Amino acid sequence: EEQLVESGGGLVQPGGSLRLSCAVSEFSFNTYDINWVRQAPGRGLEWVSYIARSGDPIYYADSVKGRFTISRDNAKNSLYLQMNSLRAEDTALYYCATSYYFGSGLFKWGQGTLVTVSS
Amino acid sequence: NFMLTQPHSVSESPGKTVTISCTRSSGSIASSYVQWYQHRPGSSPLIVIYDDDQRASGVPDRFSGSIDRSSDSASLTISGLQTEDEADYYCQSFDASNAYWVFGGGTKLTVL
């Protein structure tokens, strides 16, 4: 069965960095665009970033622009999110999710990885 | 960016029908497709409706989606409610001008 598995979450101090990974198995990773979506405690879903199957284009939500960097390695079936200058408001469960084309819905989701930014 | 506004919560009895609305703040609801996601506690979000009114694979036909151009709103209707339908439901659309995926605030559905 097709699966996305996130990892790399944890506790980090404000101003620190963290790198999330999303490993994909059982399907052709390079045929999908992929997004990061997060959910802060007690809040709703928030789109964070998008990367096309070729690696370009890339887009970010205003709340993370300039601090987060999305990338992918199609040879390793993996997606990454480098998060720098982390803030308390970045505390959330981070999901990776596939989309079929630019602007489409998000069809397959991972189980999420928790990021906590606190001193 | 436009916003999508949903009621905070709705409740209905098992076997009944419920409709959850999603209103776009600016621009036409028809300018980008609307999706709906079911999110149960402890689970990942699950797409139930895509492209306004298409049921995702494996989703029962009790779930249906529609848009209303006159009110710039979308709706998710669930008929024959079951206790397992209890979840948070999010609408989502795409802001093509700014390359932004927009989510509604979510609606908590209680089946009691």
Side-chain angles (χ1 to χ4, degrees):
Chain A
E1 184 181 330
E2 302 168 348
Q3 276 195 324
L4 296 88
V5 180
E6 301 92 337
S7 61
L11 175 64
V12 61
Q13 292 188 339
S17 298
L18 214 52
R19 188 195 197 206
L20 305 185
S21 299
C22 172
V24 174
S25 64
E26 304 300 327
F27 65 86
S28 300
F29 177 73
N30 61 1
T31 64
Y32 291 96
D33 301 345
I34 306 193
N35 298 259
W36 286 99
V37 177
R38 67 185 181 183
Q39 184 176 35
R43 306 288 297 272
L45 300 174
E46 178 190 16
W47 170 76
V48 172
S49 184
Y50 160 93
I51 185 167
R53 62 203 69 185
S54 64
D56 178 63
I58 286 173
Y59 296 105
Y60 299 97
D62 290 342
S63 57
V64 307
K65 202 173 294 182
R67 301 186 299 122
F68 289 11
T69 302
I70 191 172
S71 61
R72 64 190 292 164
D73 185 337
N74 287 344
K76 295 183 177 179
N77 281 8
S78 292
L79 171 77
Y80 306 101
L81 186 68
Q82 178 66 43
M83 304 187 297
N84 298 330
S85 303
L86 282 162
R87 307 166 179 166
E89 55 264 36
D90 295 317
T91 294
L93 186 59
Y94 285 74
Y95 297 98
C96 57
T98 63
S99 50
Y100 290 132
Y101 59 87
F102 182 61
S104 82
L106 306 175
F107 282 82
K108 293 201 66 66
W109 297 64
Q111 85 290 346
T113 187
L114 181 63
V115 172
T116 302
V117 184
S118 174
S119 54
Chain B
N1 303 332
F2 61 86
M3 294 193 305
L4 298 173
T5 301
Q6 302 179 232
H8 181 69
S9 62
V10 296
S11 62
E12 189 51 89
S13 303
K16 300 291 189 179
T17 296
V18 70
T19 297
I20 299 172
S21 63
C22 170
T23 302
R24 178 168 167 153
S25 63
S26 61
S28 171
I29 192 70
S31 61
S32 292
Y33 285 128
V34 175
Q35 278 67 234
W36 290 91
Y37 302 86
Q38 178 190 68
H39 194 192
R40 295 189 180 113
S43 296
S44 304
L46 173 73
I47 191 166
V48 292
I49 297 292
Y50 67 97
D51 292 358
D52 296 340
D53 58 7
Q54 302 298 301
R55 259 188 312 278
S57 176
V59 174
D61 59 8
R62 301 185 294 105
F63 289 78
S64 63
S66 64
I67 64 168
D68 181 346
R69 289 172 172 80
S70 65
S71 60
D72 285 318
S73 64
S75 295
L76 172 69
T77 298
I78 310 172
S79 60
L81 276 169
Q82 300 178 4
T83 54
E84 68 200 47
D85 298 331
E86 196 164 277
D88 294 325
Y89 289 86
Y90 293 88
C91 60
Q92 174 260 315
S93 190
F94 180 65
D95 184 339
S97 301
N98 299 293
Y100 224 93
W101 281 253
V102 181
F103 283 94
T107 298
K108 181 177 181 60
L109 169 62
T110 302
V111 181
L112 39 64

